[in-house]
Amino acid sequence: MSLQALVRRRSSGEIRNLTTVSSSLLPAFGTTTDERYLNLKNMSSLPMIADIVALVVYSAWASPFELAFREMSIGPLLIADLVVDVFFAVDIVLTFFVAYLDKSTYFLVDNHKKIAIRYVKKLHFAMDVASTMPFQQIYQIITGKPHRNEFFAFLNLLRLWRLRRVSQLFSRIEKDTRISYSVARFSKLICVTLFAVHSAGCMYFWLAVHHKTPGNTWIGKQVEDFKHRSISLGYTYSMYWSIVTLTTVGYGDLHAENTTEKAFNILYMLFNIGLTAYIIGNMTNLVVHSSIRTIAMRDAFNKMLQYASKSRLPEGLKEQMLAHLQLKFKTAELQQEEVLKGLPKAIRSSIAQHLFHNIVANAYLFNGVSDDFVTQLVSEMKAEYYPSKVDIVLQNEVPAYFYILVSGSVLLFKLEPGDMVGEIGVMLNIPQPYTVRSRRLSQVIRISHQHFKEMVQPFTDDGKTIISNFIQFLKGLNGEVLEEIPCVTELLGDLHDEHLTQNEGTHDNVSGYHEDDPYEEGRAENTNPVSSLVPVRVKIYGHHPNENKMGNGATPKLILLPNSVEDLFKVAGLFI
């Protein structure tokens, strides 16, 4: 579905951020959209508020200013007002071609007649027209003479209706991930404050100008004949009084002199209470939001230290706990689970394939396996970070996971990215034979023993390849490592003996066959002795047969003896 049909653009540019598109445009789950919803006419759009925001800002400043300083509305600002009104008149015309969302069906309506009827019936149309009409110029054209009545000055305040566009713009900016939320929020608070200060100052000056005794006003006591002084002087005094009152400084040099001004001051100060609370509340939320992570980290550290002290843990273990907790907060934005938790599984899998597929495919254990198996394996893997000198695998712990090193280094072996740790315990289903500790900051990906077994079962050939790779790895271990893992030494010895026995048995069986069989010409071509032997049935246990165990592992399984130890490992992995 092309989103270009849903939003009016200045040019042929594309929508690059879906956060700027209203959520009401998206169809609900389970609904069926027809072609009219997908293929709207070229003029169907949402109003592009950013195009006219500068004109709205001008209207917000000019309307109160022209009320206080009337001579500006019929002088330098007259042409600017007419130009702005023309732009908003064009916007009214374009609104008749803007598709709207039907709240009953949640479909966009692009029928021009329905759009026009809906727009005319709403209050927005009447207010848009009233805020755009140049009433004073129309009156002058009809009567042939200018009119300086204050009634037209108050009609110009209808232009403040356009401020709703700014509110909508800030709502979109706050949802736009390309712009900092704090910057957008602070900008909004600054704009609200400046508009309040400007409007109150202009209104206060208007009260002084229209008082019956100009000398008995807040500015008349300080500036004689202020009506005939410069506009910049009057505007400066007005802004000074407004800011001093808003910030509750109250120097006392400018104060109300008559009842009208006192009443206005009361209303303005009551308004300031709400505005100040709104500003402080928003700023507090921004500050708390920026420091909430630090507060959570300090609380977690305190709880961990209390637990370590209460349990009398050794200093080395306490340092590992502190290092791991500190790394957790420092790399929270890099944690795969935290970042990907809210995404669909297909997207998570694609990201995991992009990050770790080559690393897993190059690991020795999966050398030569199918790409389908590697793809499924990577989708189930989890990424983790370990700080320096922290245990990754503990000796004699249950072989729940094995790990592939992505970056960093460990103390056990000189491993490189793509090497594995913990796989011996998982493959042999024995307690981990050694402890693995990180040498420096390391990133690993891990998979559980249970998931690995479940994924191997459908891939028979890959399972054989994995076992073969594992045996080759065991044969390449040095003597020091083999001394730490006695069962591996016994396993390699059994494999060697089996290989010799198979070779001797093949020679003896073939020789006896030639001596006993007088029909040499009719002799079969098959020289494999295993195929001529009767299959042997054996019982396998999940423990030593002499041990008495209760539970699922107590019942032996009857199987046909495989042809090799590699196949026996595979069968044991399926039943144990």
Side-chain angles (χ1 to χ4, degrees), residues 513-514 517 519-527:
Y513 185 77
H514 280 280
D517 191 355
Y519 304 99
E520 185 175 352
E521 294 181 358
R523 188 170 61 243
E525 295 296 331
N526 183 11
T527 60

Side-chain angles (χ1 to χ4, degrees), residues 214-468:
N216 189 30
T217 59
W218 65 274
I219 189 174
K221 291 288 187 179
Q222 301 289 331
V223 181
E224 295 182 0
D225 197 19
F226 67 91
K227 290 184 177 182
H228 300 91
R229 303 292 289 270
S230 66
I231 295 177
S232 59
L233 178 66
Y235 187 70
T236 301
Y237 268 82
S238 300
M239 294 301 102
Y240 171 76
W241 168 85
S242 183
I243 293 175
V244 168
T245 305
L246 176 66
T247 56
T248 65
V249 174
Y251 291 122
D253 50 349
L254 296 177
H255 55 274
E257 295 290 345
N258 53 68
T259 305
T260 304
E261 293 176 351
K262 292 179 181 178
F264 181 80
N265 278 339
I266 292 173
L267 295 177
Y268 184 48
M269 286 185 285
L270 291 177
F271 169 78
N272 286 343
I273 294 175
L275 179 62
T276 304
Y278 172 76
I279 295 174
I280 294 176
N282 278 270
M283 296 184 65
T284 302
N285 286 336
L286 293 175
V287 173
V288 171
H289 179 74
S290 62
S291 60
I292 190 171
R293 185 172 185 78
T294 303
I295 296 173
M297 183 182 70
R298 293 176 63 90
D299 291 342
F301 270 88
N302 291 333
K303 291 180 181 179
M304 193 205 66
L305 291 175
Q306 291 176 3
Y307 172 80
S309 300
K310 184 177 181 181
S311 303
R312 298 181 180 180
L313 299 179
E315 289 297 325
L317 186 56
K318 187 186 299 185
E319 290 178 1
Q320 290 188 31
M321 295 169 63
L322 287 172
H324 183 77
L325 190 60
Q326 186 176 12
L327 180 65
K328 176 183 177 182
F329 281 96
K330 285 185 176 181
T331 62
E333 66 277 5
L334 302 177
Q335 294 295 325
Q336 185 182 20
E337 287 301 306
E338 295 294 329
V339 175
L340 306 181
K341 182 169 56 177
L343 296 177
K345 182 174 177 58
I347 298 180
R348 295 200 306 268
S349 299
S350 299
I351 295 175
Q353 299 300 326
H354 173 74
L355 295 176
F356 306 123
H357 185 278
N358 292 336
I359 295 176
V360 175
N362 293 329
Y364 83 88
L365 194 62
F366 308 114
N367 185 24
V369 300
S370 64
D371 189 69
D372 292 341
F373 176 76
V374 175
T375 299
Q376 293 190 23
L377 189 66
V378 171
S379 299
E380 297 295 332
M381 286 187 163
K382 312 297 181 184
E384 291 182 341
Y385 284 89
Y386 286 89
S388 176
K389 299 180 181 180
V390 171
D391 294 335
I392 300 176
V393 176
L394 288 177
Q395 187 177 15
N396 295 325
E397 73 173 350
V398 178
Y401 303 96
F402 67 82
Y403 304 83
I404 300 178
L405 184 66
V406 177
S407 63
S409 177
V410 298
L411 293 175
L412 178 64
F413 307 113
K414 187 178 180 180
L415 299 181
E416 298 178 354
D419 291 336
M420 305 180 66
V421 293
E423 79 281 11
I424 295 179
V426 171
M427 294 296 295
L428 298 178
N429 199 22
I430 60 174
Q432 294 291 358
Y434 43 72
T435 296
V436 179
R437 175 174 293 185
S438 60
R439 187 190 303 270
R440 60 176 185 268
L441 176 63
S442 303
Q443 182 187 14
V444 299
I445 49 178
R446 63 174 172 86
I447 188 169
S448 69
H449 186 182
Q450 184 64 29
H451 284 163
F452 178 68
K453 287 172 56 178
E454 292 175 355
M455 281 185 288
V456 169
Q457 291 181 9
F459 297 90
T460 306
D461 294 337
D462 291 336
K464 294 179 180 179
T465 303
I466 291 173
I467 293 177
S468 177

Side-chain angles (χ1 to χ4, degrees), residues 498 501-511 513-514 523-534 562-564 567:
E498 179 187 3
T501 302
Q502 287 183 355
N503 291 338
E504 294 175 358
T506 301
H507 182 269
D508 295 340
N509 287 330
V510 172
S511 300
Y513 185 77
H514 280 280
R523 188 170 61 243
E525 295 296 331
N526 183 11
T527 60
N528 185 3
V530 179
S531 62
S532 63
L533 297 176
V534 177
N563 296 332
S564 65
D567 292 341

Side-chain angles (χ1 to χ4, degrees), residues 471-487:
I471 292 177
Q472 293 299 321
F473 168 75
L474 294 180
K475 292 180 180 179
L477 293 177
N478 57 44
E480 296 180 358
V481 176
L482 293 177
E483 290 178 359
E484 299 292 333
I485 319 173
C487 63

Side-chain angles (χ1 to χ4, degrees), residues 560-575:
L560 296 178
L561 185 64
N563 296 332
S564 65
V565 175
E566 291 91 338
D567 292 341
L568 181 60
F569 281 154
K570 180 178 179 299
V571 173
L574 295 176
F575 287 98

Side-chain angles (χ1 to χ4, degrees), residues 534-541 556-563 568 571-572 575:
V534 177
V536 179
R537 294 183 297 174
V538 296
K539 294 180 180 180
I540 62 173
Y541 296 80
K557 307 293 189 301
L558 184 64
I559 65 169
L560 296 178
L561 185 64
N563 296 332
L568 181 60
V571 173
F575 287 98

